[in-house]
Amino acid sequence: MYDDNSGGIQIASYDTNLNEVQIFMTENSIQSAIPSPDESMIFYQGDYTDSQSGQTNSGLWIYNIANSSAIAVPIQGEIETSNSAIVWSVDNQNVAFINQLNGGSLYYYHVDSNTLTLIDTVFGQQNSMSWSPNNSTILYDKFNPCLLYTSDAA
């Protein structure tokens, strides 16, 4: 992700073998962006401009690289994420993220069904999380690095 100095922020990849940059999208605002493990999708906070209507909306998005389209993550209210607070499941079907506003809330998002579930609240800025190898459980710590909580996300 980088600012192109012409009024937009671009999400791109660099192929070291071919020495090429592939630009996936350019938007006016992108605050955080994390690719799926297979790099077919990008979960990001920012703007999305529909290529058909030209309408721009802000929010959380799952951007599909293959068809250059985005699906809005159905979250209500203001949102603030960071790259360190977003984790994809290994199977590319789930995303866990922390909305860092109002004390922080941990959410689970299922890509195929476009469903969002609130898992826990009152998170700090330095919480960590990860998915189990079978993609059924989110492990996350809360306030004390020695304690791990488990939430069944399947």
Side-chain angles (χ1 to χ4, degrees):
M1 187 168 67
Y2 65 96
D3 189 336
D4 67 2
N5 292 322
S6 64
I9 297 173
Q10 296 179 329
I11 295 179
S13 71
Y14 177 70
D15 186 325
T16 56
N17 294 328
L18 299 174
N19 196 28
E20 290 180 348
V21 173
Q22 179 182 4
I23 298 171
F24 300 123
M25 61 185 293
T26 302
E27 289 293 346
N28 294 326
S29 172
I30 299 174
Q31 285 78 35
S32 55
I34 299 290
S36 60
D38 69 357
E39 298 182 353
S40 66
M41 296 175 280
I42 300 168
F43 180 92
Y44 77 97
Q45 176 189 350
D47 291 344
Y48 173 70
T49 304
D50 185 280
S51 61
Q52 301 294 322
S53 68
Q55 183 176 353
T56 299
N57 292 300
S58 294
L60 285 179
W61 305 93
I62 297 289
Y63 183 80
N64 184 310
I65 292 171
N67 64 18
S68 302
S69 66
I71 297 172
V73 175
I75 192 163
Q76 299 296 315
E78 292 185 53
I79 183 80
E80 182 179 320
T81 61
S82 69
N83 287 351
S84 63
I86 301 168
V87 180
W88 280 89
S89 63
V90 178
D91 66 358
N92 307 295
Q93 293 302 305
N94 308 295
V95 181
F97 67 94
I98 297 173
N99 180 359
Q100 297 171 329
L101 294 179
N102 302 318
S105 299
L106 174 63
Y107 288 91
Y108 154 71
Y109 175 72
H110 186 264
V111 175
D112 283 346
S113 65
N114 194 31
T115 56
L116 183 67
T117 304
L118 175 64
I119 293 176
D120 206 343
T121 58
V122 192
F123 274 77
Q125 297 284 341
Q126 300 302 319
N127 296 104
S128 64
M129 53 191 164
S130 63
W131 285 90
S132 62
N134 67 359
N135 305 299
S136 66
T137 303
I138 303 167
L139 303 172
Y140 59 99
D141 70 83
K142 185 175 175 180
F143 298 117
N144 185 342
C146 298
L147 298 175
L148 284 178
Y149 297 84
T150 312
S151 179
D152 184 13

